[in-house]
Amino acid sequence: MNERGEVVRNRLIGSVLSAAALTMLTVPADAHAAAVACGGGVSTGRVAVNGCISAQRGKEGRVYTREITAHVRLRNTGPRTVNVSYEAFFRVVSGGHWVKLGSGRTDVPAGGTVGPTEVGSSTRVCGPVKVEIRVHALAAGGAWSGWSTAATAQCQT
């Protein structure tokens, strides 16, 4: 092989290794992480609010469980940072009552988005039911938003 062929070969190997390294950087560290799905948006002043849900399967002994986690995504369309309070509730759709999962507070930068941020979670024994979360938020100086809901089949495979 001549010198030019060696240079081309080394560049090709370098390109392949670089592409492999970049691919490895984009692979999530936790391969079992649950996907987060967000519901429709509501707003409070200049802050858009989305309630989001994830459901991760688990097992305690012989019993299969599902950890249902409520998240919130906040987007500020205004020209200034806004302090936003939020809270999330959970229920089993077939006649369940709403139970508070958690609450929090954060600053959302001007023109920026925060989240999905975990608000709270509940571990349930798997069953053939649908579960739902709802989230609302209060921007400083504003009123509580309406409810943004998201749902999932509790023990989907």
Side-chain angles (χ1 to χ4, degrees), residues 8 11 22 24 41 66 89 94 99 123 156-157:
V8 169
R11 282 188 183 164
L22 286 174
M24 291 306 292
R66 186 67 82 168
F89 293 80
S94 58
V99 176
T123 301
Q156 61 195 9
T157 55

Side-chain angles (χ1 to χ4, degrees), residues 59-77:
K59 190 173 182 183
E60 294 180 21
R62 293 183 183 190
V63 178
Y64 286 97
T65 61
R66 186 67 82 168
E67 184 171 355
I68 308 298
T69 305
H71 305 265
V72 65
R73 184 172 56 206
L74 305 164
R75 185 172 44 89
N76 181 0
T77 60

